[in-house]
Amino acid sequence: MTEHQNINSPASSSSLGSTSATAAAVVAPEATRPWWREPVMWWVVGGPSLVVVASFITLGLALRYPDPVLQEQASAKAMQPAKEARNHAATGGK
């Protein structure tokens, strides 16, 4: 049957039996698989799970190898732009 023929047309009535059998096969649901056999489920659950595991690894590394605390004080000249910005923000740009 070509795609331009109508199902109810007389030309297609001879193949109506095979068409209805095919349609019944299409309508019948497939055998359901368990949830762990669905590949899409592993993408949906696996991605966030991988991020959680990576965050715990990062936390462990951060606790084991902390950054050293700097004891030096910054010079007044180095702090000048920060003080100007703070004062500018506090006065509203005046």
Side-chain angles (χ1 to χ4, degrees):
M1 179 164 70
T2 64
E3 63 183 271
H4 296 294
Q5 289 178 338
N6 188 357
I7 293 177
N8 296 327
S9 69
S12 66
S13 63
S14 62
S15 63
L16 187 59
S18 65
T19 304
S20 60
T22 306
V26 171
V27 173
E30 293 182 24
T32 57
R33 299 188 317 189
W35 62 268
W36 63 85
R37 300 238 181 209
E38 294 293 333
V40 173
M41 189 281 311
W42 290 109
W43 283 105
V44 170
V45 174
S49 300
L50 186 64
V51 171
V52 169
V53 170
S55 67
F56 280 113
I57 291 171
T58 304
L59 177 66
L61 289 172
L63 293 175
R64 186 169 179 167
Y65 304 108
D67 290 336
V69 178
L70 299 177
Q71 300 299 326
E72 280 184 29
Q73 289 292 333
S75 67
K77 186 174 183 175
M79 292 299 293
Q80 189 61 32
K83 288 180 182 177
E84 288 178 11
R86 183 190 64 217
N87 293 339
H88 182 77
T91 60
K94 295 180 184 177

